[in-house]
Amino acid sequence: MSFSGAVLDVDGTVVRGDDPIGGAPAGYERLRSAGIKTLFVSNNPTKAPPAYVDRLGSAGYDVDAEQVFTAGTVTTRYLREHHAADDLLCIGDAGLLSQFADAGLTTTDDPAAADALVASIDREFDYDDLCTALWTLERGVPFVGTDPDVVIPAPERDVPGSGAVINAIAGVAEREPDVVLGKPSDPAIEMVRERLPYPPEECLVVGDRLDTDIALGERAGMTTALVLSGITDEAAVEDAAVSPDYVLDDLGEVGRVLD
């Protein structure tokens, strides 16, 4: 098939931790040699695109900041569009709060003063945070999640992600988020289309998650390829509600899709 653009997931697709996944660098070069514009899209909300340029560059991928956006990018944009003047109570890592500060967004630690709650991955999440979130949402303010990933790949083994924190808060508050951003949300699809301004049939999405990467591609009308180098195995593919167009062992097999 002939493609003009490709959306590539990061963790579990091109790297695990800071190391390249076997075959993935060659697959990336195969895409570039075919003249396909690549866009890296990560559901990790804790780091801004420049950090990914450094991380991917160290792993052997030649990338610039315009080729990257994350769940943090999508969430920051959404909040600037819908909550620019609000005081935000954020349950999340310091890296996410730094992105908010850089964008001119205001945060607060006071449940009584918060105009909205933002929930995300927080490696120091504890009972006090759960209380804070509950007391904030009792006031009926908007509830925003950065991304739905319950489990994420890590260097040694999989670990809980943003979805685990969001679900814990939703459980005690007995209330679902008003919006969950990152892949496969409509705001994320909109940003993909802005960066890859091609007809959907000319775009390929490659990732290791059915419910985010493949779901985004399916919703956007793009061709999808699931790689088995991350969070998903073949058994999960058979039982899934979302079906990829291709299943690859890793990105190194992307030539099967292009030829």
Side-chain angles (χ1 to χ4, degrees), residues 82-224:
H82 298 277
H83 298 282
D86 289 347
D87 290 331
L88 308 169
L89 197 149
C90 182
I91 306 294
D93 274 0
L96 180 62
L97 272 73
S98 294
Q99 293 174 68
F100 292 171
D102 290 343
L105 296 167
T106 303
T107 56
T108 180
D109 294 325
D110 183 359
D115 298 304
L117 175 76
V118 183
S120 182
I121 186 172
D122 185 347
R123 292 169 177 84
E124 297 180 354
F125 182 68
D126 60 16
Y127 187 80
D128 287 342
D129 291 319
L130 207 51
C131 291
T132 297
L134 173 63
W135 298 333
T136 303
L137 293 178
E138 281 178 342
R139 298 174 43 246
V141 302
F143 179 11
V144 178
T146 58
D147 64 279
D149 291 14
V150 175
V151 175
I152 56 176
E156 299 300 325
R157 59 191 304 178
D158 299 338
V159 297
S162 297
V165 174
I166 294 166
N167 291 347
I169 293 171
V172 299
E174 297 184 327
R175 172 184 166 186
E176 293 302 310
D178 296 289
V179 63
V180 178
L181 299 161
K183 298 174 288 188
S185 69
D186 288 341
I189 291 172
E190 180 181 350
M191 290 190 71
V192 167
R193 287 175 170 155
E194 289 172 0
R195 304 285 182 96
L196 298 178
Y198 311 114
E201 59 271 19
E202 293 182 20
C203 294
L204 171 67
V205 179
V206 184
D208 70 314
R209 302 187 72 106
L210 291 161
D211 58 344
T212 57
D213 305 312
I214 304 308
L216 179 141
E218 186 175 274
R219 291 180 64 187
M222 300 173 179
T223 300
T224 59

